[in-house]
């Protein structure tokens, strides 16, 4: 049985008086995958959820991305011991491609973006373009100070870029 332990629904970004409005609300540290904040994953239409102590729940983890319920990629790996502690915890080791129908960067596993990148929000921003290089790309969002929308830019599904995206981390 897989349990969704983190989910972020990333819908359209609306600009209004220099304020960004996200489906998940303004990003907070509670939303990061390594947060100890608990928000049940019962209704994903709420926008986000998180379960603490994920490393106690299983020995494998999977990262999957969907657009309006259609799966575009899913990769798994062994449980990363840092999943509950820092931004490196979502690195899949070793990565196994379960499913990937991206139009671009097919076969490139999703990885967390380094916390030192100004465009990234550590624990929320993922890249799917440069394996083993956590700097310079993103595929899920852009919450940082120099933000711009980058959802699906690496994957480029046939549904286009800069539109609804759900990223989930599962453990089993």
């Amino acid at each position: 049985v897989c349990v969704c332990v983190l989910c972020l629904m990333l819908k359209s970004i609306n600009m209004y008086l220099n304020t960004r409005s996200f489906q998940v609300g303004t990003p907070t540290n509670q939303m990061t995958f390594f947060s100890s904040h608990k928000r049940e994953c019962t209704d994903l239409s709420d926008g986000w959820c998180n379960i603490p102590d994920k490393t106690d729940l299983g020995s494998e983890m999977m990262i999957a991305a969907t657009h309006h319920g259609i799966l575009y990629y899913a990769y798994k790996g062994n449980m990363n011991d840092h999943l509950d502690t820092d931004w490196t915890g979502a690195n899949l080791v070793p990565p196994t491609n379960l499913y990937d129908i991206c139009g671009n960067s097919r076969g490139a596993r999703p990885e967390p973006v380094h916390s030192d990148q100004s465009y990234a929000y550590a624990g929320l921003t993922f890249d799917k373009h440069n394996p083993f290089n956590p700097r310079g790309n993103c595929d899920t969002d852009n919450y940082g100070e120099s933000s711009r929308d980058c959802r699906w830019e690496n994957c480029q599904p046939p549904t286009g870029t800069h539109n609804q995206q759900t990223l989930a981390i599962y453990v089993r």
Side-chain angles (χ1 to χ4, degrees):
V1 172
C2 282
V3 176
C4 185
V5 294
L6 172 87
C7 186
L8 297 168
M9 284 184 71
L10 307 165
K11 287 194 177 178
S12 298
I13 297 174
N14 301 309
M15 296 294 287
Y16 180 72
L17 298 176
N18 296 324
T19 303
R20 290 188 178 231
S21 172
F22 299 89
Q23 174 66 19
V24 298
T26 301
T28 68
N29 289 338
Q30 293 178 340
M31 294 177 183
T32 65
F33 61 76
F34 54 86
S35 168
S36 62
H37 178 76
K38 183 174 184 175
R39 181 167 169 163
E40 292 289 340
C41 298
T42 55
D43 184 3
L44 298 185
S45 66
D46 284 347
W48 72 278
C49 67
N50 187 56
I51 296 175
D53 303 319
K54 292 173 266 307
T55 56
D56 295 340
L57 298 175
S59 60
E60 292 184 308
M61 56 189 278
M62 178 179 74
I63 298 173
T66 63
H67 173 73
H68 293 302
I70 298 170
L71 180 67
Y72 280 93
Y73 61 81
Y75 287 76
K76 76 171 188 168
N78 293 329
M79 179 62 70
N80 185 320
D81 291 338
H82 297 277
L83 185 59
D84 292 317
T85 57
D86 65 57
W87 71 270
T88 65
N91 282 317
L92 299 169
V93 181
T96 301
N97 178 344
L98 299 174
Y99 186 79
D100 191 334
I101 58 169
C102 291
N104 191 33
S105 296
R106 185 175 295 158
R109 70 181 189 210
E111 297 176 318
V113 172
H114 197 286
S115 61
D116 69 2
Q117 299 300 284
S118 65
Y119 64 88
Y121 199 106
L124 296 179
T125 307
F126 283 76
D127 168 29
K128 192 184 178 314
H129 183 66
N130 296 318
F132 306 106
N133 181 1
R135 295 176 173 91
N137 272 288
C138 76
D139 192 56
T140 57
D141 63 74
N142 247 346
Y143 290 129
E145 293 298 318
S146 61
S147 294
R148 67 173 177 72
D149 186 1
C150 71
R151 289 168 299 150
W152 298 115
E153 283 188 4
N154 298 154
C155 178
Q156 299 202 0
T159 53
T161 60
H162 308 159
N163 55 34
Q164 193 278 332
Q165 181 182 47
T166 300
L167 182 82
I169 298 175
Y170 297 86
V171 297
R172 118 177 138 155

